Amino acid sequence: DTTVKQNPRYKLARVGKPVNLICSQTMNHDTMYWYQKKPNQAPKLLLFYYDKILNREADTFEKFQSSRPNNSFCSLYIGSAGLEYSAMYLCASSRRGNNQAPLFGEGTRLSVL
Amino acid sequence: GQQVKQSSPSLTVQEGGISILNCDYENDMFDYFAWYKKYPDNSPTLLISVRSNVDKREDGRLTVFLNKSGKHFSLHITASQPEDTAVYLCAAGDAGYQNFYFGKGTSLTVIP
C-alpha cells in the first residue's frame, strides 16, 4: 500500500474545543508532515517528525501539537480551536535518502464554528 | 517570509505548446526540489522531483531545470494538453533536515 491515509475526511469543531486529526502510512517512511492549506494560499508547513524527533515551525509553535507513537501513525492536535483554524489539513510522508519528495494523503477539511 | 515563491498566479497556453512554470526560493541550504499538480479540493500529487546535484531532469513531457546560483527552478511541460489544466505547486527543502516548503501555485489553463 503506497498511500497516506487521513481520518476523517471532514470534521466539524466548535470554537474553544479540542481537535485531533489522524494520519497513517505503511510505506515505512521515516518522516511525516502536517500542512495547513487555505484557499489561495500556499500549503503551510506546521510541523514534521523525522523518526521520533518533532520539528515545529516557529510561527505555529504554540498552536499545534503532534504525536507519533509508532513509525506508521502521526496525529495533529489543536488544544482550543479558533475560527482561523478552519482549513484543509494535509498529511504527507517521505523517506530520507529516497530521492522522492513527500507523498500526500487526501486531507481533512476542518470547519470550526 | 515566504521561503518559496511562484510569481505568476496563472498561465494560459495553447494545446500543443510548451508550458513553463517558474519558482524561486530563498534558502541557500535547499537542495531538494519538486513539482506537484493539484486539482480543486484535492491534495497535491507529486509529478517530478530533483536533487541539487543535477541541473536538469526529464520524465516524459516534463522537464525540471535547476539554477542553484539564481535560486530558481522551473517546470517545462511540452506538448501541453487540456488534461494538464490544474494548479502546479513548486516545493523546496533541505533533504538532510527534511523540511519542505511550498509556493502558492500557478494555475495553468491549456486551451484546445
Side-chain angles (χ1 to χ4, degrees):
Chain A
D1 187 0
T2 58
T3 58
V4 177
K5 292 185 172 26
Q6 290 190 243
N7 237 332
R9 290 293 310 280
Y10 301 91
K11 187 164 184 72
L12 207 57
R14 294 291 179 188
V15 169
K17 296 298 185 184
V19 176
N20 198 45
L21 307 179
I22 293 168
C23 179
S24 65
Q25 51 85 19
T26 54
M27 296 175 279
N28 201 27
H29 283 177
D30 50 24
T31 307
M32 294 184 76
Y33 304 82
W34 281 101
Y35 291 85
Q36 181 191 64
K37 176 76 174 73
K38 293 185 176 182
N40 301 315
Q41 293 185 20
K44 181 179 174 57
L45 179 62
L46 301 176
L47 52 87
F48 65 97
Y49 265 99
Y50 170 61
D51 197 14
K52 292 182 173 56
I53 302 168
L54 175 60
N55 299 274
R56 288 189 285 180
E57 291 294 289
D59 58 346
T60 55
F61 191 86
E62 294 176 345
K63 295 182 178 181
F64 298 93
Q65 302 281 340
S66 183
S67 67
R68 192 178 187 189
N70 55 58
N71 177 269
S72 302
F73 179 93
C74 188
S75 66
L76 181 71
Y77 181 76
I78 301 166
S80 176
L83 295 175
E84 70 277 14
Y85 286 87
S86 291
M88 176 75 87
Y89 288 86
L90 297 166
C91 176
S93 70
S94 69
R95 183 161 185 79
R96 189 178 180 184
N98 245 17
N99 283 339
Q100 185 182 56
L103 302 177
F104 281 86
E106 290 186 322
T108 295
R109 183 169 293 285
L110 174 66
S111 298
V112 182
L113 305 173
Chain B
Q2 211 177 333
Q3 300 254 22
V4 178
K5 292 179 184 171
Q6 294 177 255
S7 53
S8 298
S10 63
L11 173 69
T12 300
V13 171
Q14 204 72 36
E15 183 175 3
I18 298 177
S19 301
I20 300 176
L21 302 152
N22 293 299
C23 190
D24 298 291
Y25 61 96
E26 309 238 324
N27 193 327
D28 284 331
M29 297 299 295
F30 288 171
D31 59 357
Y32 194 47
F33 309 93
W35 285 94
Y36 290 76
K37 186 176 184 180
K38 186 182 180 309
Y39 294 110
D41 294 327
N42 279 43
S43 58
T45 301
L46 176 64
L47 288 175
I48 187 168
S49 59
V50 66
R51 291 292 296 266
S52 60
N53 57 343
V54 297
D55 55 16
K56 176 182 169 182
R57 183 180 173 206
E58 287 183 62
D59 184 0
R61 294 190 295 118
L62 307 178
T63 303
V64 177
F65 294 93
L66 176 61
N67 174 357
K68 278 221 77 177
S69 61
K71 291 191 277 189
H72 175 88
F73 59 109
S74 61
L75 175 68
H76 291 215
I77 305 174
T78 57
S80 298
Q81 301 162 6
E83 306 86 83
D84 296 328
T85 295
V87 173
Y88 289 80
L89 299 168
C90 65
D94 180 333
Y97 185 54
Q98 290 285 75
N99 55 4
F100 207 58
Y101 299 97
F102 281 80
K104 281 181 69 169
T106 296
S107 178
L108 172 66
T109 302
V110 180
I111 300 172

